[in-house]
Amino acid sequence: AEEEIQEEEENLVERPPIVTVMGHVDHGKTTLLDTIRKTDVASKEHGGITQHIGAYKIKLPNGKEITFLDTPGHEAFTTLRARGSKVADIAILVVAADDGVKPQTIEAINHAKNAKVPIIVAVNKIDKPGADPMRVRQQLTQYGLVPEEWGGDTIFVDISAKTGYNVETLLEMVLLVAEMLELKANPNRLAIGTVIESKLDPKRGAVATVLVQNGTLHIGDYFVAGYTWGKVKAMFNERGERVSKAPPSTPVEVLGFDEIPEAGDKFIAKETEREAKQLAEIRKQRREEELLAKKTRIHLENLSGQKEINLIIKTDVQGSAEALKKSIEDLAEKFPDITINIIHSGVGAITESDVMLAAASNAIIIGFNVRPDTGARKTAEEENVDIKIYNIIYNVIEDLEKALKGLLAPVQREVILGTAEVRQTFKVKSIGTIAGCYVTEGVIRRNALARVIRDGIVIYDGKIASLKRFKEDVKEVAKGFECGLTIENFNDIKVGDIIEAYEIVEERPQ
Ligand code: GDP
C-alpha cells in the first residue's frame, strides 16, 4: 500500500505507546482516564486544563510519555479497527474488584485478542469493602489471562482509579510492556496517522483529531485522509495550545480539511497539493466501486475462496451457546481444510459492539433466539456484516455446512467412460485417419476426452472428434459394438492401439 514504506532501522527512534482503556460499564474507565490525565507533568507545568479531544499524551515524572485514546469503551477501538487502522499498542482492561468479570469484560478481551493487542489488567475499586481481586484473577484465567504471579504472562495491577492508588504502578507496567514491544517510528518523514474523531465546527470548519503514528506533521503539510484532503492550517494539542508540529504518537486537532473525514480514516501527509488531491480522488472512486459491490453482496452461502470462517455467537441462554458450540465443533471435524473460529460468544441481544467486532474480523454473527438491537441492525447494514438469526440448532448447522461446502474449492476428478481397441485404420483425404474400433469396456462417446495408448504408454491425449456406426454419426457406442472414430489433430493411429475415453467432472468434496 502507498503508506507502507519500509523504514531504515537507523532512522527509527522510540515512540510513546498508544493505549486504550476497555472494560465493562461502570467499572471505572472514565475515572481511570481522568486520574491518569491529572498525573501529566506538562499540564501541571502549564497550569492547563486538558481539553476533551479523543486522545491525550501524558508525560510522567521520569520524562517518559504515554498516549491514551480517550474514548472509554471499545467502540472507538473497534470503529478504528473496522476501518482498517490498527491504533492501540496496548489495552488496559479495567475490571471492578467488587463486580468481577462481566459480559463487556469478555467482549473487550475478545476485541483485544482479535487485534493482537497485549492486555494489562487493572483490577479497580480495590478501595471498596467488597473488593475481591483474587476472584477477578481466577475468573480471567478462564479467558486465557493468567497472572504472572500464577505462572502466566498477564500483568495484573490492583488499583483504585478514584483515590489514585497504584495508578503510577499501572503506568510503569504500561511502559514495561511498551519496552518489550519495541515501538519505534521515524520522526523525520512525512506524517502517517489515523483520524480518531471529526466534526464540523461552525467557526473553524471541518476539524479532526489526528493521531500521528509515524513521521512528524507540520503546519502547511498537504495531506489525504480517507477520501478527503487538505493542508494543515493550524494544530492544537490536548490542552488547546497551538502547536507547529506533531511527532509520532501525538494526538492533535487539525484544521484545514477540505471535507470532514471519518473516524478511522488513515491520514497521510503528502509532498504536494496535487498528490494529496489526486489520491483523494482515486479513493472516492474506489469507494463508489465498493458501494456498488456492496449491493451485490454475497452471503453466508457464498464466501468462496476463504479457508477460514470467523463466527460470533449470541444466544438467549448460556446453555444454547454451549450446545451450539458443540454442534459447530462436530461439524468442523468434517471439514479439516477449513478453520472455524468462534471469536466471541455471549448471552443477550446482538449489539453494535458485536457488529463492530464482526466488521473488524470479517465474521458472521449467528443469533440464536435473540435479535439485533436497533443500533446493531443499522451498523450491520453500514458495515456490511451478516447477521443470521435462528431458533433451531439443526438449521444453524445445516446452513453452516452448506456454506462450508461452498468454501471448498471444487475438486476435478477423472471418470473413465470406456475403452476401445483399434482393429483397422483408414486414411481418408480431408478427414485424416479413421480408426475402426471394437469397444471393450463401457462406452465411447463423441467429444469425450481420449488417450491413445500404445504398448501401455500414453502417446497422445486429445479428444474424440467424430464417431460413426457404419455410415451414421452417433453420440455413443457401447461395449461389444464396433465403431469408426477420429482423434482430433492426431492421424498417427495404428492397429493395436487402445483408446481410452474419459471425462473430467468437477465436484465439491463432501
Ligand atoms: P465507566 O463506565 O467504566 O467509565 O466507569 P466510571 O469511571 O464512570 O465509574 C463508574 C462509577 O464507579 C463512578 O461512580 C465512579 O466514581 C466509581 N469508581 C470508579 N473507580 C472507582 C474506584 O477505584 N473506587 C471506587 N470506590 N469507586 C470508583
Side-chain angles (χ1 to χ4, degrees), residues 23-32 34 72-73 94 124-128 159-164:
H24 196 68
V25 63
D26 280 345
H27 278 199
K29 299 177 293 288
T30 315
T31 311
L32 177 61
D34 285 344
V94 177
N124 192 30
K125 306 198 186 182
I126 203 78
D127 58 294
K128 286 184 102 174
I159 63 160
S160 168
K162 200 169 173 180
T163 69

mmCIF file with all atom_site columns, all heavy atoms in Angstrom, residues 23-32 34 72-73 94 124-128 159-164, ligand 1:
data_model
loop_
_atom_site.group_PDB
_atom_site.id
_atom_site.type_symbol
_atom_site.label_atom_id
_atom_site.label_alt_id
_atom_site.label_comp_id
_atom_site.label_asym_id
_atom_site.label_entity_id
_atom_site.label_seq_id
_atom_site.pdbx_PDB_ins_code
_atom_site.Cartn_x
_atom_site.Cartn_y
_atom_site.Cartn_z
_atom_site.occupancy
_atom_site.B_iso_or_equiv
_atom_site.pdbx_formal_charge
_atom_site.auth_seq_id
_atom_site.auth_comp_id
_atom_site.auth_asym_id
_atom_site.auth_atom_id
_atom_site.pdbx_PDB_model_num
ATOM   1   N N   . GLY A 1 23  ? -13.337 -2.160 29.145 1.00 0.00 ? 23  GLY A N   1
ATOM   2   C CA  . GLY A 1 23  ? -13.917 -2.844 30.287 1.00 0.00 ? 23  GLY A CA  1
ATOM   3   C C   . GLY A 1 23  ? -15.416 -2.661 30.362 1.00 0.00 ? 23  GLY A C   1
ATOM   4   O O   . GLY A 1 23  ? -16.004 -1.916 29.565 1.00 0.00 ? 23  GLY A O   1
ATOM   5   N N   . HIS A 1 24  ? -16.040 -3.332 31.321 1.00 0.00 ? 24  HIS A N   1
ATOM   6   C CA  . HIS A 1 24  ? -17.485 -3.285 31.484 1.00 0.00 ? 24  HIS A CA  1
ATOM   7   C C   . HIS A 1 24  ? -17.921 -1.892 31.950 1.00 0.00 ? 24  HIS A C   1
ATOM   8   O O   . HIS A 1 24  ? -17.161 -1.185 32.607 1.00 0.00 ? 24  HIS A O   1
ATOM   9   C CB  . HIS A 1 24  ? -17.916 -4.326 32.516 1.00 0.00 ? 24  HIS A CB  1
ATOM   10  C CG  . HIS A 1 24  ? -19.379 -4.632 32.475 1.00 0.00 ? 24  HIS A CG  1
ATOM   11  N ND1 . HIS A 1 24  ? -19.957 -5.285 31.426 1.00 0.00 ? 24  HIS A ND1 1
ATOM   12  C CD2 . HIS A 1 24  ? -20.382 -4.350 33.353 1.00 0.00 ? 24  HIS A CD2 1
ATOM   13  C CE1 . HIS A 1 24  ? -21.262 -5.413 31.661 1.00 0.00 ? 24  HIS A CE1 1
ATOM   14  N NE2 . HIS A 1 24  ? -21.531 -4.846 32.820 1.00 0.00 ? 24  HIS A NE2 1
ATOM   15  N N   . VAL A 1 25  ? -19.139 -1.524 31.618 1.00 0.00 ? 25  VAL A N   1
ATOM   16  C CA  . VAL A 1 25  ? -19.670 -0.224 32.007 1.00 0.00 ? 25  VAL A CA  1
ATOM   17  C C   . VAL A 1 25  ? -19.638 -0.087 33.539 1.00 0.00 ? 25  VAL A C   1
ATOM   18  O O   . VAL A 1 25  ? -19.853 -1.070 34.260 1.00 0.00 ? 25  VAL A O   1
ATOM   19  C CB  . VAL A 1 25  ? -21.106 -0.019 31.444 1.00 0.00 ? 25  VAL A CB  1
ATOM   20  C CG1 . VAL A 1 25  ? -22.077 -1.034 32.029 1.00 0.00 ? 25  VAL A CG1 1
ATOM   21  C CG2 . VAL A 1 25  ? -21.596 1.399  31.660 1.00 0.00 ? 25  VAL A CG2 1
ATOM   22  N N   . ASP A 1 26  ? -19.274 1.099  33.988 1.00 0.00 ? 26  ASP A N   1
ATOM   23  C CA  . ASP A 1 26  ? -19.217 1.425  35.426 1.00 0.00 ? 26  ASP A CA  1
ATOM   24  C C   . ASP A 1 26  ? -18.055 0.774  36.171 1.00 0.00 ? 26  ASP A C   1
ATOM   25  O O   . ASP A 1 26  ? -17.985 0.856  37.390 1.00 0.00 ? 26  ASP A O   1
ATOM   26  C CB  . ASP A 1 26  ? -20.536 1.044  36.153 1.00 0.00 ? 26  ASP A CB  1
ATOM   27  C CG  . ASP A 1 26  ? -21.608 2.098  35.923 1.00 0.00 ? 26  ASP A CG  1
ATOM   28  O OD1 . ASP A 1 26  ? -21.247 3.204  35.473 1.00 0.00 ? 26  ASP A OD1 1
ATOM   29  O OD2 . ASP A 1 26  ? -22.789 1.819  36.191 1.00 0.00 ? 26  ASP A OD2 1
ATOM   30  N N   . HIS A 1 27  ? -17.183 0.120  35.468 1.00 0.00 ? 27  HIS A N   1
ATOM   31  C CA  . HIS A 1 27  ? -16.043 -0.484 36.170 1.00 0.00 ? 27  HIS A CA  1
ATOM   32  C C   . HIS A 1 27  ? -14.912 0.526  36.415 1.00 0.00 ? 27  HIS A C   1
ATOM   33  O O   . HIS A 1 27  ? -13.953 0.206  37.108 1.00 0.00 ? 27  HIS A O   1
ATOM   34  C CB  . HIS A 1 27  ? -15.543 -1.734 35.425 1.00 0.00 ? 27  HIS A CB  1
ATOM   35  C CG  . HIS A 1 27  ? -16.367 -2.949 35.743 1.00 0.00 ? 27  HIS A CG  1
ATOM   36  N ND1 . HIS A 1 27  ? -15.929 -4.226 35.520 1.00 0.00 ? 27  HIS A ND1 1
ATOM   37  C CD2 . HIS A 1 27  ? -17.608 -3.065 36.287 1.00 0.00 ? 27  HIS A CD2 1
ATOM   38  C CE1 . HIS A 1 27  ? -16.875 -5.092 35.912 1.00 0.00 ? 27  HIS A CE1 1
ATOM   39  N NE2 . HIS A 1 27  ? -17.894 -4.398 36.369 1.00 0.00 ? 27  HIS A NE2 1
ATOM   40  N N   . GLY A 1 28  ? -15.050 1.729  35.811 1.00 0.00 ? 28  GLY A N   1
ATOM   41  C CA  . GLY A 1 28  ? -14.128 2.809  36.174 1.00 0.00 ? 28  GLY A CA  1
ATOM   42  C C   . GLY A 1 28  ? -13.200 3.293  35.074 1.00 0.00 ? 28  GLY A C   1
ATOM   43  O O   . GLY A 1 28  ? -12.169 3.911  35.361 1.00 0.00 ? 28  GLY A O   1
ATOM   44  N N   . LYS A 1 29  ? -13.566 3.090  33.822 1.00 0.00 ? 29  LYS A N   1
ATOM   45  C CA  . LYS A 1 29  ? -12.702 3.519  32.716 1.00 0.00 ? 29  LYS A CA  1
ATOM   46  C C   . LYS A 1 29  ? -12.526 5.035  32.691 1.00 0.00 ? 29  LYS A C   1
ATOM   47  O O   . LYS A 1 29  ? -11.409 5.531  32.605 1.00 0.00 ? 29  LYS A O   1
ATOM   48  C CB  . LYS A 1 29  ? -13.292 3.050  31.362 1.00 0.00 ? 29  LYS A CB  1
ATOM   49  C CG  . LYS A 1 29  ? -13.424 1.543  31.241 1.00 0.00 ? 29  LYS A CG  1
ATOM   50  C CD  . LYS A 1 29  ? -14.068 1.135  29.938 1.00 0.00 ? 29  LYS A CD  1
ATOM   51  C CE  . LYS A 1 29  ? -15.523 1.553  29.814 1.00 0.00 ? 29  LYS A CE  1
ATOM   52  N NZ  . LYS A 1 29  ? -16.433 0.779  30.677 1.00 0.00 ? 29  LYS A NZ  1
ATOM   53  N N   . THR A 1 30  ? -13.666 5.750  32.782 1.00 0.00 ? 30  THR A N   1
ATOM   54  C CA  . THR A 1 30  ? -13.611 7.215  32.719 1.00 0.00 ? 30  THR A CA  1
ATOM   55  C C   . THR A 1 30  ? -12.822 7.764  33.899 1.00 0.00 ? 30  THR A C   1
ATOM   56  O O   . THR A 1 30  ? -11.981 8.656  33.737 1.00 0.00 ? 30  THR A O   1
ATOM   57  C CB  . THR A 1 30  ? -15.043 7.795  32.738 1.00 0.00 ? 30  THR A CB  1
ATOM   58  O OG1 . THR A 1 30  ? -15.832 7.029  31.829 1.00 0.00 ? 30  THR A OG1 1
ATOM   59  C CG2 . THR A 1 30  ? -15.058 9.243  32.338 1.00 0.00 ? 30  THR A CG2 1
ATOM   60  N N   . THR A 1 31  ? -13.090 7.206  35.059 1.00 0.00 ? 31  THR A N   1
ATOM   61  C CA  . THR A 1 31  ? -12.397 7.665  36.268 1.00 0.00 ? 31  THR A CA  1
ATOM   62  C C   . THR A 1 31  ? -10.887 7.451  36.118 1.00 0.00 ? 31  THR A C   1
ATOM   63  O O   . THR A 1 31  ? -10.088 8.334  36.439 1.00 0.00 ? 31  THR A O   1
ATOM   64  C CB  . THR A 1 31  ? -12.930 6.902  37.505 1.00 0.00 ? 31  THR A CB  1
ATOM   65  O OG1 . THR A 1 31  ? -14.351 6.946  37.482 1.00 0.00 ? 31  THR A OG1 1
ATOM   66  C CG2 . THR A 1 31  ? -12.405 7.500  38.789 1.00 0.00 ? 31  THR A CG2 1
ATOM   67  N N   . LEU A 1 32  ? -10.522 6.289  35.592 1.00 0.00 ? 32  LEU A N   1
ATOM   68  C CA  . LEU A 1 32  ? -9.095  5.995  35.419 1.00 0.00 ? 32  LEU A CA  1
ATOM   69  C C   . LEU A 1 32  ? -8.452  6.974  34.433 1.00 0.00 ? 32  LEU A C   1
ATOM   70  O O   . LEU A 1 32  ? -7.379  7.526  34.693 1.00 0.00 ? 32  LEU A O   1
ATOM   71  C CB  . LEU A 1 32  ? -8.905  4.545  34.942 1.00 0.00 ? 32  LEU A CB  1
ATOM   72  C CG  . LEU A 1 32  ? -7.455  4.138  34.660 1.00 0.00 ? 32  LEU A CG  1
ATOM   73  C CD1 . LEU A 1 32  ? -6.600  4.243  35.925 1.00 0.00 ? 32  LEU A CD1 1
ATOM   74  C CD2 . LEU A 1 32  ? -7.371  2.724  34.099 1.00 0.00 ? 32  LEU A CD2 1
ATOM   75  N N   . ASP A 1 34  ? -9.398  9.941  33.738 1.00 0.00 ? 34  ASP A N   1
ATOM   76  C CA  . ASP A 1 34  ? -9.322  11.262 34.375 1.00 0.00 ? 34  ASP A CA  1
ATOM   77  C C   . ASP A 1 34  ? -8.153  11.322 35.351 1.00 0.00 ? 34  ASP A C   1
ATOM   78  O O   . ASP A 1 34  ? -7.403  12.293 35.389 1.00 0.00 ? 34  ASP A O   1
ATOM   79  C CB  . ASP A 1 34  ? -10.628 11.568 35.137 1.00 0.00 ? 34  ASP A CB  1
ATOM   80  C CG  . ASP A 1 34  ? -11.754 11.924 34.168 1.00 0.00 ? 34  ASP A CG  1
ATOM   81  O OD1 . ASP A 1 34  ? -11.441 12.214 32.992 1.00 0.00 ? 34  ASP A OD1 1
ATOM   82  O OD2 . ASP A 1 34  ? -12.928 11.884 34.580 1.00 0.00 ? 34  ASP A OD2 1
ATOM   83  N N   . PRO A 1 72  ? -13.561 5.994  26.201 1.00 0.00 ? 72  PRO A N   1
ATOM   84  C CA  . PRO A 1 72  ? -13.825 4.830  27.027 1.00 0.00 ? 72  PRO A CA  1
ATOM   85  C C   . PRO A 1 72  ? -14.723 3.839  26.286 1.00 0.00 ? 72  PRO A C   1
ATOM   86  O O   . PRO A 1 72  ? -15.569 4.241  25.504 1.00 0.00 ? 72  PRO A O   1
ATOM   87  C CB  . PRO A 1 72  ? -14.540 5.387  28.236 1.00 0.00 ? 72  PRO A CB  1
ATOM   88  C CG  . PRO A 1 72  ? -14.349 6.848  28.198 1.00 0.00 ? 72  PRO A CG  1
ATOM   89  C CD  . PRO A 1 72  ? -14.067 7.230  26.790 1.00 0.00 ? 72  PRO A CD  1
ATOM   90  N N   . GLY A 1 73  ? -14.520 2.607  26.600 1.00 0.00 ? 73  GLY A N   1
ATOM   91  C CA  . GLY A 1 73  ? -15.279 1.578  25.893 1.00 0.00 ? 73  GLY A CA  1
ATOM   92  C C   . GLY A 1 73  ? -14.512 1.195  24.663 1.00 0.00 ? 73  GLY A C   1
ATOM   93  O O   . GLY A 1 73  ? -13.612 1.911  24.248 1.00 0.00 ? 73  GLY A O   1
ATOM   94  N N   . VAL A 1 94  ? -10.026 -2.840 32.406 1.00 0.00 ? 94  VAL A N   1
ATOM   95  C CA  . VAL A 1 94  ? -10.449 -2.449 33.745 1.00 0.00 ? 94  VAL A CA  1
ATOM   96  C C   . VAL A 1 94  ? -11.541 -3.406 34.219 1.00 0.00 ? 94  VAL A C   1
ATOM   97  O O   . VAL A 1 94  ? -12.548 -3.594 33.540 1.00 0.00 ? 94  VAL A O   1
ATOM   98  C CB  . VAL A 1 94  ? -10.983 -0.997 33.750 1.00 0.00 ? 94  VAL A CB  1
ATOM   99  C CG1 . VAL A 1 94  ? -11.484 -0.611 35.137 1.00 0.00 ? 94  VAL A CG1 1
ATOM   100 C CG2 . VAL A 1 94  ? -9.899  -0.035 33.286 1.00 0.00 ? 94  VAL A CG2 1
ATOM   101 N N   . ASN A 1 124 ? -9.767  -2.793 39.474 1.00 0.00 ? 124 ASN A N   1
ATOM   102 C CA  . ASN A 1 124 ? -10.119 -1.467 40.006 1.00 0.00 ? 124 ASN A CA  1
ATOM   103 C C   . ASN A 1 124 ? -11.029 -1.551 41.238 1.00 0.00 ? 124 ASN A C   1
ATOM   104 O O   . ASN A 1 124 ? -11.535 -2.615 41.569 1.00 0.00 ? 124 ASN A O   1
ATOM   105 C CB  . ASN A 1 124 ? -10.798 -0.663 38.893 1.00 0.00 ? 124 ASN A CB  1
ATOM   106 C CG  . ASN A 1 124 ? -10.943 0.802  39.249 1.00 0.00 ? 124 ASN A CG  1
ATOM   107 O OD1 . ASN A 1 124 ? -10.131 1.350  39.996 1.00 0.00 ? 124 ASN A OD1 1
ATOM   108 N ND2 . ASN A 1 124 ? -11.993 1.432  38.731 1.00 0.00 ? 124 ASN A ND2 1
ATOM   109 N N   . LYS A 1 125 ? -11.190 -0.420 41.859 1.00 0.00 ? 125 LYS A N   1
ATOM   110 C CA  . LYS A 1 125 ? -12.067 -0.240 43.031 1.00 0.00 ? 125 LYS A CA  1
ATOM   111 C C   . LYS A 1 125 ? -11.581 -1.101 44.209 1.00 0.00 ? 125 LYS A C   1
ATOM   112 O O   . LYS A 1 125 ? -12.394 -1.631 44.974 1.00 0.00 ? 125 LYS A O   1
ATOM   113 C CB  . LYS A 1 125 ? -13.528 -0.572 42.683 1.00 0.00 ? 125 LYS A CB  1
ATOM   114 C CG  . LYS A 1 125 ? -14.054 0.208  41.470 1.00 0.00 ? 125 LYS A CG  1
ATOM   115 C CD  . LYS A 1 125 ? -15.572 0.206  41.405 1.00 0.00 ? 125 LYS A CD  1
ATOM   116 C CE  . LYS A 1 125 ? -16.058 0.848  40.109 1.00 0.00 ? 125 LYS A CE  1
ATOM   117 N NZ  . LYS A 1 125 ? -17.510 0.922  39.991 1.00 0.00 ? 125 LYS A NZ  1
ATOM   118 N N   . ILE A 1 126 ? -10.278 -1.225 44.289 1.00 0.00 ? 126 ILE A N   1
ATOM   119 C CA  . ILE A 1 126 ? -9.672  -2.038 45.335 1.00 0.00 ? 126 ILE A CA  1
ATOM   120 C C   . ILE A 1 126 ? -9.929  -1.427 46.725 1.00 0.00 ? 126 ILE A C   1
ATOM   121 O O   . ILE A 1 126 ? -9.820  -2.093 47.738 1.00 0.00 ? 126 ILE A O   1
ATOM   122 C CB  . ILE A 1 126 ? -8.150  -2.190 45.022 1.00 0.00 ? 126 ILE A CB  1
ATOM   123 C CG1 . ILE A 1 126 ? -7.574  -3.404 45.684 1.00 0.00 ? 126 ILE A CG1 1
ATOM   124 C CG2 . ILE A 1 126 ? -7.369  -0.941 45.343 1.00 0.00 ? 126 ILE A CG2 1
ATOM   125 C CD1 . ILE A 1 126 ? -7.923  -4.667 44.955 1.00 0.00 ? 126 ILE A CD1 1
ATOM   126 N N   . ASP A 1 127 ? -10.304 -0.149 46.720 1.00 0.00 ? 127 ASP A N   1
ATOM   127 C CA  . ASP A 1 127 ? -10.602 0.551  47.988 1.00 0.00 ? 127 ASP A CA  1
ATOM   128 C C   . ASP A 1 127 ? -11.955 0.145  48.574 1.00 0.00 ? 127 ASP A C   1
ATOM   129 O O   . ASP A 1 127 ? -12.249 0.408  49.733 1.00 0.00 ? 127 ASP A O   1
ATOM   130 C CB  . ASP A 1 127 ? -10.595 2.067  47.739 1.00 0.00 ? 127 ASP A CB  1
ATOM   131 C CG  . ASP A 1 127 ? -11.606 2.474  46.679 1.00 0.00 ? 127 ASP A CG  1
ATOM   132 O OD1 . ASP A 1 127 ? -11.436 2.080  45.496 1.00 0.00 ? 127 ASP A OD1 1
ATOM   133 O OD2 . ASP A 1 127 ? -12.583 3.160  47.009 1.00 0.00 ? 127 ASP A OD2 1
ATOM   134 N N   . LYS A 1 128 ? -12.788 -0.496 47.753 1.00 0.00 ? 128 LYS A N   1
ATOM   135 C CA  . LYS A 1 128 ? -14.144 -0.802 48.231 1.00 0.00 ? 128 LYS A CA  1
ATOM   136 C C   . LYS A 1 128 ? -14.147 -2.015 49.165 1.00 0.00 ? 128 LYS A C   1
ATOM   137 O O   . LYS A 1 128 ? -13.366 -2.956 48.982 1.00 0.00 ? 128 LYS A O   1
ATOM   138 C CB  . LYS A 1 128 ? -15.086 -1.050 47.046 1.00 0.00 ? 128 LYS A CB  1
ATOM   139 C CG  . LYS A 1 128 ? -15.449 0.239  46.321 1.00 0.00 ? 128 LYS A CG  1
ATOM   140 C CD  . LYS A 1 128 ? -16.445 -0.019 45.218 1.00 0.00 ? 128 LYS A CD  1
ATOM   141 C CE  . LYS A 1 128 ? -17.848 0.366  45.629 1.00 0.00 ? 128 LYS A CE  1
ATOM   142 N NZ  . LYS A 1 128 ? -18.771 0.247  44.475 1.00 0.00 ? 128 LYS A NZ  1
ATOM   143 N N   . ILE A 1 159 ? -5.732  -1.544 41.552 1.00 0.00 ? 159 ILE A N   1
ATOM   144 C CA  . ILE A 1 159 ? -5.721  -0.076 41.633 1.00 0.00 ? 159 ILE A CA  1
ATOM   145 C C   . ILE A 1 159 ? -7.016  0.472  42.223 1.00 0.00 ? 159 ILE A C   1
ATOM   146 O O   . ILE A 1 159 ? -8.011  -0.249 42.348 1.00 0.00 ? 159 ILE A O   1
ATOM   147 C CB  . ILE A 1 159 ? -5.545  0.584  40.232 1.00 0.00 ? 159 ILE A CB  1
ATOM   148 C CG1 . ILE A 1 159 ? -6.730  0.239  39.307 1.00 0.00 ? 159 ILE A CG1 1
ATOM   149 C CG2 . ILE A 1 159 ? -4.235  0.169  39.580 1.00 0.00 ? 159 ILE A CG2 1
ATOM   150 C CD1 . ILE A 1 159 ? -6.893  1.193  38.135 1.00 0.00 ? 159 ILE A CD1 1
ATOM   151 N N   . SER A 1 160 ? -6.970  1.743  42.552 1.00 0.00 ? 160 SER A N   1
ATOM   152 C CA  . SER A 1 160 ? -8.196  2.491  42.793 1.00 0.00 ? 160 SER A CA  1
ATOM   153 C C   . SER A 1 160 ? -8.132  3.713  41.896 1.00 0.00 ? 160 SER A C   1
ATOM   154 O O   . SER A 1 160 ? -7.320  4.617  42.134 1.00 0.00 ? 160 SER A O   1
ATOM   155 C CB  . SER A 1 160 ? -8.329  2.909  44.261 1.00 0.00 ? 160 SER A CB  1
ATOM   156 O OG  . SER A 1 160 ? -9.374  3.860  44.357 1.00 0.00 ? 160 SER A OG  1
ATOM   157 N N   . ALA A 1 161 ? -8.948  3.705  40.873 1.00 0.00 ? 161 ALA A N   1
ATOM   158 C CA  . ALA A 1 161 ? -8.953  4.832  39.942 1.00 0.00 ? 161 ALA A CA  1
ATOM   159 C C   . ALA A 1 161 ? -9.402  6.099  40.674 1.00 0.00 ? 161 ALA A C   1
ATOM   160 O O   . ALA A 1 161 ? -8.986  7.198  40.341 1.00 0.00 ? 161 ALA A O   1
ATOM   161 C CB  . ALA A 1 161 ? -9.875  4.533  38.766 1.00 0.00 ? 161 ALA A CB  1
ATOM   162 N N   . LYS A 1 162 ? -10.224 5.891  41.686 1.00 0.00 ? 162 LYS A N   1
ATOM   163 C CA  . LYS A 1 162 ? -10.799 7.021  42.396 1.00 0.00 ? 162 LYS A CA  1
ATOM   164 C C   . LYS A 1 162 ? -9.766  7.705  43.305 1.00 0.00 ? 162 LYS A C   1
ATOM   165 O O   . LYS A 1 162 ? -9.611  8.914  43.272 1.00 0.00 ? 162 LYS A O   1
ATOM   166 C CB  . LYS A 1 162 ? -11.977 6.531  43.237 1.00 0.00 ? 162 LYS A CB  1
ATOM   167 C CG  . LYS A 1 162 ? -12.932 7.631  43.641 1.00 0.00 ? 162 LYS A CG  1
ATOM   168 C CD  . LYS A 1 162 ? -14.172 6.992  44.225 1.00 0.00 ? 162 LYS A CD  1
ATOM   169 C CE  . LYS A 1 162 ? -15.129 8.009  44.808 1.00 0.00 ? 162 LYS A CE  1
ATOM   170 N NZ  . LYS A 1 162 ? -16.313 7.315  45.350 1.00 0.00 ? 162 LYS A NZ  1
ATOM   171 N N   . THR A 1 163 ? -9.049  6.904  44.103 1.00 0.00 ? 163 THR A N   1
ATOM   172 C CA  . THR A 1 163 ? -8.077  7.501  45.024 1.00 0.00 ? 163 THR A CA  1
ATOM   173 C C   . THR A 1 163 ? -6.702  7.665  44.366 1.00 0.00 ? 163 THR A C   1
ATOM   174 O O   . THR A 1 163 ? -5.842  8.360  44.885 1.00 0.00 ? 163 THR A O   1
ATOM   175 C CB  . THR A 1 163 ? -7.894  6.620  46.282 1.00 0.00 ? 163 THR A CB  1
ATOM   176 O OG1 . THR A 1 163 ? -7.232  5.404  45.881 1.00 0.00 ? 163 THR A OG1 1
ATOM   177 C CG2 . THR A 1 163 ? -9.219  6.304  46.949 1.00 0.00 ? 163 THR A CG2 1
ATOM   178 N N   . GLY A 1 164 ? -6.501  7.013  43.260 1.00 0.00 ? 164 GLY A N   1
ATOM   179 C CA  . GLY A 1 164 ? -5.206  7.099  42.580 1.00 0.00 ? 164 GLY A CA  1
ATOM   180 C C   . GLY A 1 164 ? -4.233  6.027  43.029 1.00 0.00 ? 164 GLY A C   1
ATOM   181 O O   . GLY A 1 164 ? -3.123  5.918  42.500 1.00 0.00 ? 164 GLY A O   1
HETATM 182 P P1  . GDP B 2 .   ? -17.007 3.615  33.258 1.00 0.00 ? 1   GDP B P1  1
HETATM 183 O O1  . GDP B 2 .   ? -18.424 3.413  32.885 1.00 0.00 ? 1   GDP B O1  1
HETATM 184 O O2  . GDP B 2 .   ? -16.216 2.362  33.130 1.00 0.00 ? 1   GDP B O2  1
HETATM 185 O O3  . GDP B 2 .   ? -16.341 4.762  32.548 1.00 0.00 ? 1   GDP B O3  1
HETATM 186 O O4  . GDP B 2 .   ? -16.996 3.922  34.830 1.00 0.00 ? 1   GDP B O4  1
HETATM 187 P P2  . GDP B 2 .   ? -16.832 5.276  35.597 1.00 0.00 ? 1   GDP B P2  1
HETATM 188 O O5  . GDP B 2 .   ? -15.435 5.750  35.562 1.00 0.00 ? 1   GDP B O5  1
HETATM 189 O O6  . GDP B 2 .   ? -17.882 6.210  35.138 1.00 0.00 ? 1   GDP B O6  1
HETATM 190 O O7  . GDP B 2 .   ? -17.114 4.808  37.070 1.00 0.00 ? 1   GDP B O7  1
HETATM 191 C C1  . GDP B 2 .   ? -18.364 4.296  37.488 1.00 0.00 ? 1   GDP B C1  1
HETATM 192 C C2  . GDP B 2 .   ? -18.573 4.563  38.945 1.00 0.00 ? 1   GDP B C2  1
HETATM 193 O O8  . GDP B 2 .   ? -17.593 3.900  39.718 1.00 0.00 ? 1   GDP B O8  1
HETATM 194 C C3  . GDP B 2 .   ? -18.427 6.068  39.291 1.00 0.00 ? 1   GDP B C3  1
HETATM 195 O O9  . GDP B 2 .   ? -19.400 6.383  40.252 1.00 0.00 ? 1   GDP B O9  1
HETATM 196 C C4  . GDP B 2 .   ? -17.043 6.154  39.878 1.00 0.00 ? 1   GDP B C4  1
HETATM 197 O O10 . GDP B 2 .   ? -16.920 7.192  40.811 1.00 0.00 ? 1   GDP B O10 1
HETATM 198 C C5  . GDP B 2 .   ? -16.901 4.813  40.536 1.00 0.00 ? 1   GDP B C5  1
HETATM 199 N N1  . GDP B 2 .   ? -15.498 4.406  40.630 1.00 0.00 ? 1   GDP B N1  1
HETATM 200 C C6  . GDP B 2 .   ? -14.608 4.323  39.606 1.00 0.00 ? 1   GDP B C6  1
HETATM 201 N N2  . GDP B 2 .   ? -13.423 3.899  40.042 1.00 0.00 ? 1   GDP B N2  1
HETATM 202 C C7  . GDP B 2 .   ? -13.549 3.696  41.371 1.00 0.00 ? 1   GDP B C7  1
HETATM 203 C C8  . GDP B 2 .   ? -12.661 3.262  42.404 1.00 0.00 ? 1   GDP B C8  1
HETATM 204 O O11 . GDP B 2 .   ? -11.487 2.959  42.198 1.00 0.00 ? 1   GDP B O11 1
HETATM 205 N N3  . GDP B 2 .   ? -13.173 3.160  43.666 1.00 0.00 ? 1   GDP B N3  1
HETATM 206 C C9  . GDP B 2 .   ? -14.448 3.474  43.947 1.00 0.00 ? 1   GDP B C9  1
HETATM 207 N N4  . GDP B 2 .   ? -14.844 3.341  45.193 1.00 0.00 ? 1   GDP B N4  1
HETATM 208 N N5  . GDP B 2 .   ? -15.317 3.898  43.004 1.00 0.00 ? 1   GDP B N5  1
HETATM 209 C C10 . GDP B 2 .   ? -14.872 4.012  41.746 1.00 0.00 ? 1   GDP B C10 1
#
